[in-house]
C-alpha cells in the first residue's frame, strides 16, 4: 500500500476549533485574534496573564550534523509533543515559520511530516498570517529610507562603501544577490552597489524572534547598524529616522500564531530566522506564553547541536531568561552512515543504494558525530536524550548501534516511528524526555557577557566545534577591534559556518580534529544583539535548483493546492 503524502494526511486530520486548542493552554478566547478558521494570533498580554502559572518543563530538540535532506527534526518535535499527551502530559510545541524560498525550492515545507505535522500545512507553508511579509516590508522600508537619506544630502555622513544594510525578499532568486540601484536620471537616487538576502536572513527577523515585548522590539530596531561613517562611527536606524515606522509595520507580527498538530496538540508558529547567520530559533514571545501553558514546552533549534542548540543556549536563553530542562538530539541511520565517509548524499537526487544495506559497523564508524553532539549539549549542563528517527529501510541492528553510541555517552535513547505512527510512535521518547527533564538542572552559558569577542569565538570553536584554534583574516581582525571600540563587545557570538559539518569545511564528516577555524569577516547585528563571524562562503540568498518544487506546485479544478510537500 502506498503511504499517503503529507498533504493527504494533513487534509484528513480532524481539526478542533482553535478556542478548544487554546483552552488546553488555559488561554481564553479574549486573547485570540482569528485568522480564518484554523489559525489565530495570540495577544501579547497573554504573557502577563499566564505569568503566575507554574512553569512547564522546557525541552529543546536538536540533532546530529544533518545530511542535505535533513533528519526529521521538526517531525520529531511535533511527534514528541503529540506523544506527551499519550503518556498523560500536556505539551505545547513551538517552531519557526517556514520560508517560502525552500518551500518552492528543493527542501519543501517545514510543517513536520507524515502523521507528525502541523496543520493546516498549506496555510503554514504559504503566507500564514503574513509575518514574513511584514518583516520584508519593514526591512525594505529602512532600505528606502537609507537611500532617500543619501539622496537628500547624507546628513549622517555615511560612507557609501561602508553601508551594510541590503534588501530582502522571501524567494530563492540568485540574480538578486548583487545589484546596482539608483540607475536612471538624477531624480532616481544615488547609484550604488547593494543586493538582496532572503527574508529569513534579515536582522529584522532575528529581532522579531528575540524581542520580549513591543517596546523592546522598538528599541532593538533603533539599534540596527545600517553602515558607518568615514571615521568608522556606526550609523543606526534611529539616526536616519527609520525605526518607528518599522515598529508600526511589525506591531501585529510580534504576536505568535496558534495552530495545531494532526492530533490536536497546540502549536505556536512564530518567526523564522536563518540558521546560518542568525540564531535559527523560533520566538521568545511564543516561549514566554507557552512556558506557562502546560506541563511541557517542546521547541526546536535549527541544524545540528553545534549550531542551533549552541545558539539556543547562548543567545536565545540569554534573551528570554528561560533555561532548558532537557535536550533531544535527533539521529538517523542514514546520516551516521554518511558520517562514516562512505556515502555521498545530494539534495534532489536519489539516495545511494548502498545506504540501505544492513551495516551497523558503518553506523558506529559515523558515531563520532553523535558523540560530539551529545557532548555539546552536556557542555551547557543540559541532560541529552537521543531520538533514533526510524526510516523505512533501516535495520534493527543499526538502531541498536545508535543506542550503544548514546549509552556510551551516558545518554538515554529511544527509537521513534512518529512519521508513520504519530504520537504513538514517540511514546518511548516522551517517557525518556520526561525522566531527563526531572533531573536537577545545571544549565550554564558557554562564556560570560564580559569576555572579549575573540575569547567568545575561541571558546565556541574549541569546545563546540573541536577546532585547534582560530585564524583571523586582516579584515576580520580590524572589524573585531572596531566592534570592541564601539561598545559591541558584550554581545554573544553567532558563528556563521556550514551546517553540513561540525567544522567549517562541509566535506569533513564525523567529528573532525586537527583543524583551525578561519574567520574571513565579522558582522554585527546590534539590534538583534549578536556579532557574527563568517567562516566560509555563506549564501544569504539561495538559488533555485534544476527542478524546483515550484515546477510542481499548482491548484486543481476546485482551487485546492496540489503537490505541496
Amino acid at each position: 500500500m502506498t503511504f499517503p503524502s503529507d498533504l493527504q494526511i494533513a487534509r484528513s486530520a480532524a481539526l478542533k476549533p482553535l478556542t478548544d486548542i487554546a483552552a488546553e493552554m488555559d488561554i481564553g478566547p479574549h486573547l485570540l485574534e482569528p485568522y480564518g478558521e484554523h489559525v489565530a494570533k495570540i495577544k501579547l498580554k497573554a504573557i502577563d496573564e499566564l505569568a503566575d502559572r507554574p512553569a512547564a518543563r522546557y525541552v529543546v530538540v536538536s540533532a546530529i550534523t544533518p545530511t542535505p535532506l535533513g533528519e526529521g527534526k521538526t517531525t520529531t518535535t511535533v511527534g514528541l509533543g503529540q506523544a506527551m499527551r499519550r503518556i498523560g502530559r500536556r505539551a505545547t510545541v513551538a517552531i519557526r515559520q517556514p520560508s517560502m524560498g525552500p518551500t518552492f525550492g528543493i527542501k519543501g515545507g517545514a510543517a513536520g511530516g507524515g502523521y507528525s505535522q502541523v496543520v493546516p500545512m498549506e496555510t503554514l507553508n504559504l503566507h500564514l498570517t503574513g509575518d514574513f511579509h511584514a518583516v520584508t516590508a519593514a526591512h525594505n522600508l529602512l532600505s528606502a529610507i537609507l537611500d532617500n537619506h543619501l539622496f537628500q544630502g547624507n546628513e549622517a555622513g555615511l560612507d557609501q562603501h561602508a553601508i551594510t544594510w541590503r534588501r530582502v525578499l522571501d524567494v530563492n532568486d540568485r540574480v538578486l544577490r548583487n545589484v546596482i540601484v539608483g540607475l536612471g536620471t538624477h531624480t532616481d537616487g544615488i547609484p550604488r552597489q547593494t543586493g538582496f538576502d532572503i527574508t529569513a536572513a534579515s536582522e529584522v527577523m532575528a529581532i522579531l524572534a528575540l524581542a520580549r515585548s513591543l517596546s523592546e522590539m522598538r528599541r532593538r530596531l533603533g539599534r540596527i547598524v545600517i553602515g558607518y561613517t568615514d571615521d568608522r562611527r556606526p550609523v543606526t536606524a534611529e539616526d536616519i529616522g527609520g525605526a518607528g515606522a518599522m515598529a508600526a509595520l511589525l506591531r501585529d507580527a510580534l504576536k505568535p500564531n496558534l495552530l495545531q498538530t494532526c492530533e490536536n496538540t497546540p502549536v505556536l508558529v512564530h518567526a523564522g530566522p536563518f540558521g546560518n547567520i542568525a540564531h535559527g530559533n523560533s520566538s521568545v514571545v511564543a516561549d514566554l506564553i507557552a512556558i506557562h501553558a502546560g506541563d511541557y514546552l517542546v521547541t526546536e533549534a535549527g541544524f545540528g547541536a553545534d549550531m542551533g542548540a549552541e545558539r539556543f543556549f547562548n543567545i536565545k536563553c540569554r534573551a528570554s531568561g528561560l533555561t532548558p530542562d532537557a535536550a533531544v538530539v535527533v539521529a538517523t541511520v542514514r546520516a551516521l552512515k554518511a558520517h562514516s565517509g562512505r556515502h555521498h548524499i545530494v539534495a534532489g537526487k536519489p539516495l545511494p543504494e548502498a545506504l540501505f544495506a544492513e551495516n551497523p559497523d558503518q553506523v558506529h564508524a559515523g558515531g563520532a558525530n553523535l558523540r560530539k553532539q551529545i557532548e555539546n549539549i552536556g557542555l551547557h549542563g543540559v541532560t541529552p536524550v537521543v531520538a533514533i528517527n526510524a526510516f523505512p529501510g533501516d535495520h534493527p541492528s543499526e538502531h541498536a548501534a545508535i543506542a550503544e553510541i548514546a549509552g556510551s555517552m551516558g545518554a538515554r535513547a529511544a527509537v521513534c516511528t512518529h512519521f508513520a505512527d504519530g504520537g504513538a510512535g514517540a511514546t518511548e521518547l516522551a517517557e525518556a524526555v520526561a525522566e531527563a527533564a526531572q533531573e536537577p538542572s545545571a544549565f550554564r552559558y558557554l562564556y560570560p557577557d564580559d569576555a572579549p569577542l575573540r575569547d567568545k569565538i575561541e571558546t565556541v570553536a574549541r569546545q563546540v566545534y573541536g577546532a585547534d584554534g582560530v585564524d583571523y583574516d586582516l579584515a576580520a581582525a580590524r572589524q573585531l577591534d572596531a566592534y570592541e571600540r564601539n561598545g559591541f563587545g558584550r554581545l554573544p557570538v553567532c558563528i556563521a559556518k556550514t551546517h553540513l559539518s561540525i567544522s567549517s569545511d562541509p566535506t569533513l564528516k564525523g567529528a573532525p580534529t586537527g583543524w583551525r577555524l578561519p574567520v574571513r569577516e565579522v558582522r554585527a547585528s546590534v539590534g538583534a544583539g549578536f556579532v557574527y563571524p563568517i567562516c566560509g562562503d555563506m549564501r544569504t540568498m539561495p538559488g533555485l535548483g534544476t527542478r524546483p518544487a515550484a515546477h510542481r506546485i499548482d491548484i486543481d479544478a476546485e482551487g485546492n493546492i496540489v503537490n505541496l510537500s
Side-chain angles (χ1 to χ4, degrees):
M1 184 178 72
T2 302
F3 195 82
S5 70
D6 287 352
L7 190 53
Q8 290 171 325
I9 292 170
R11 286 180 176 161
S12 68
L15 302 186
K16 288 185 178 180
L18 276 183
T19 50
D20 293 353
I21 301 298
E24 291 189 24
M25 303 171 66
D26 297 321
I27 291 175
H30 67 290
L31 293 173
L32 300 182
E33 294 179 357
Y35 274 68
E37 194 174 355
H38 297 300
V39 179
K41 279 192 168 292
I42 300 178
K43 297 177 183 178
L44 295 182
K45 62 183 180 181
I47 296 173
D48 291 333
E49 287 202 19
L50 299 176
D52 292 336
R53 297 181 184 176
R57 299 290 181 178
Y58 193 27
V59 179
V60 61
V61 178
S62 188
I64 62 174
T65 302
T67 68
L69 305 178
E71 305 315 310
K73 193 162 65 269
T74 303
T75 307
T76 301
T77 302
V78 174
L80 175 58
Q82 294 180 153
M84 283 295 180
R85 174 182 290 177
R86 292 175 177 266
I87 66 168
R89 272 84 164 185
R90 291 190 307 154
T92 302
V93 172
I95 62 173
R96 288 181 292 173
Q97 179 179 337
S99 164
M100 288 194 295
T103 296
F104 288 108
I106 290 179
K107 186 177 179 182
Y115 289 95
S116 292
Q117 59 177 307
V118 182
V119 287
M121 70 93 82
E122 307 103 299
T123 305
L124 173 59
N125 286 309
L126 302 175
H127 304 298
L128 195 55
T129 58
D131 293 346
F132 267 58
H133 301 308
V135 169
T136 302
H139 183 116
N140 291 339
L141 174 61
L142 182 58
S143 301
I145 290 171
L146 166 58
D147 279 300
N148 183 62
H149 184 87
L150 296 176
F151 180 75
Q152 301 295 346
N154 193 10
E155 182 181 349
L158 277 161
D159 176 357
Q160 289 190 40
H161 299 290
I163 291 172
T164 56
W165 196 252
R166 291 156 55 94
R167 285 168 166 79
V168 297
L169 198 65
D170 192 32
V171 295
N172 289 1
D173 195 350
R174 62 172 56 83
V175 303
L176 294 178
R177 289 171 184 164
N178 297 284
V179 301
I180 296 175
V181 296
L183 294 179
T185 68
H186 170 71
T187 58
D188 294 321
I190 307 295
R192 65 183 185 90
Q193 184 172 339
T194 180
F196 280 77
D197 300 320
I198 198 164
T199 296
S202 168
E203 184 177 350
V204 178
M205 182 66 80
I207 288 172
L208 185 74
L210 291 173
R212 296 167 57 100
S213 65
L214 275 171
S215 59
E216 182 183 325
M217 182 182 71
R218 172 62 181 81
R219 291 192 299 273
R220 286 177 177 265
L221 292 171
R223 294 198 297 264
I224 291 173
V225 174
I226 50 96
Y228 296 85
T229 61
D230 288 335
D231 60 355
R232 300 302 297 169
R233 178 183 63 82
V235 179
T236 67
E238 200 73 71
D239 292 333
I240 63 170
M246 294 171 72
L249 285 174
L250 293 165
R251 182 188 62 170
D252 290 333
L254 189 59
K255 302 168 187 173
N257 306 293
L258 176 63
L259 288 84
Q260 60 189 291
T261 73
C262 293
E263 297 181 7
N264 312 119
T265 299
V267 182
L268 296 186
V269 181
H270 199 213
F274 211 61
N276 288 94
I277 66 165
H279 51 92
N281 284 263
S282 57
S283 78
V284 165
V285 292
D287 287 1
L288 291 176
I289 292 171
I291 199 68
H292 296 291
D295 301 319
Y296 288 85
L297 166 55
V298 183
T299 189
E300 70 167 314
F303 298 135
D306 57 306
M307 296 187 71
E310 184 273 314
R311 295 164 184 177
F312 171 85
F313 297 138
N314 293 297
I315 297 176
K316 186 180 181 183
C317 289
R318 269 186 165 93
S320 69
L322 302 177
T323 58
D325 296 290
V328 175
V329 180
V330 179
T332 63
V333 167
R334 71 181 186 186
L336 288 175
K337 284 183 174 180
H339 281 293
S340 74
R342 298 168 194 174
H343 304 278
H344 185 53
I345 299 174
V346 180
K349 294 186 177 181
L351 292 170
E353 282 295 324
L355 200 67
F356 298 100
E358 183 173 6
N359 198 326
D361 289 342
Q362 285 187 6
V363 175
H364 278 290
N369 188 272
L370 174 57
R371 286 191 289 272
K372 185 68 180 84
Q373 300 293 26
I374 292 172
E375 178 186 300
N376 288 338
I377 298 296
L379 286 172
H380 297 87
V382 180
T383 304
V385 177
V386 175
I388 305 171
N389 186 19
F391 278 69
D394 291 355
H395 300 273
S397 64
E398 296 170 333
H399 293 159
I402 298 176
E404 288 173 20
I405 296 166
S408 71
M409 298 295 292
R412 298 172 175 85
V415 177
C416 313
T417 59
H418 45 280
F419 182 90
D421 301 319
T427 54
E428 183 183 348
L429 175 64
E431 294 283 9
V433 169
E435 289 178 7
Q438 295 294 328
E439 295 182 359
S441 177
F443 175 72
R444 56 186 173 271
Y445 300 126
L446 203 58
Y447 48 77
D449 289 339
D450 57 4
L453 291 173
R454 282 178 174 80
D455 287 359
K456 294 172 182 175
I457 297 168
E458 184 98 9
T459 297
V460 176
R462 288 182 178 275
Q463 295 191 31
V464 178
Y465 306 157
D468 287 346
V470 182
D471 296 324
Y472 299 96
D473 285 1
L474 181 59
R478 288 174 174 170
Q479 287 159 342
L480 283 169
D481 292 340
Y483 295 152
E484 296 280 6
R485 287 196 303 271
N486 285 320
F488 307 156
R490 291 184 62 83
L491 298 178
V493 295
C494 180
I495 298 177
K497 71 172 187 71
T498 180
H499 61 284
L500 298 175
S501 173
I502 293 180
S503 76
S504 59
D505 181 348
T507 67
L508 298 180
K509 302 305 179 184
T513 58
W515 62 280
R516 296 179 65 84
L517 182 73
V519 178
R520 64 174 179 83
E521 183 184 355
V522 185
R523 300 178 187 175
S525 289
V526 182
F530 52 79
V531 169
Y532 62 102
I534 297 176
C535 308
D537 185 17
M538 295 293 108
R539 290 292 189 192
T540 53
M541 171 54 83
L544 293 174
T546 307
R547 295 179 179 83
H551 288 180
R552 304 187 302 273
I553 297 170
D554 207 333
I555 57 172
D556 62 18
E558 286 75 42
N560 298 308
I561 295 169
V562 295
N563 299 327
L564 181 65
S565 60

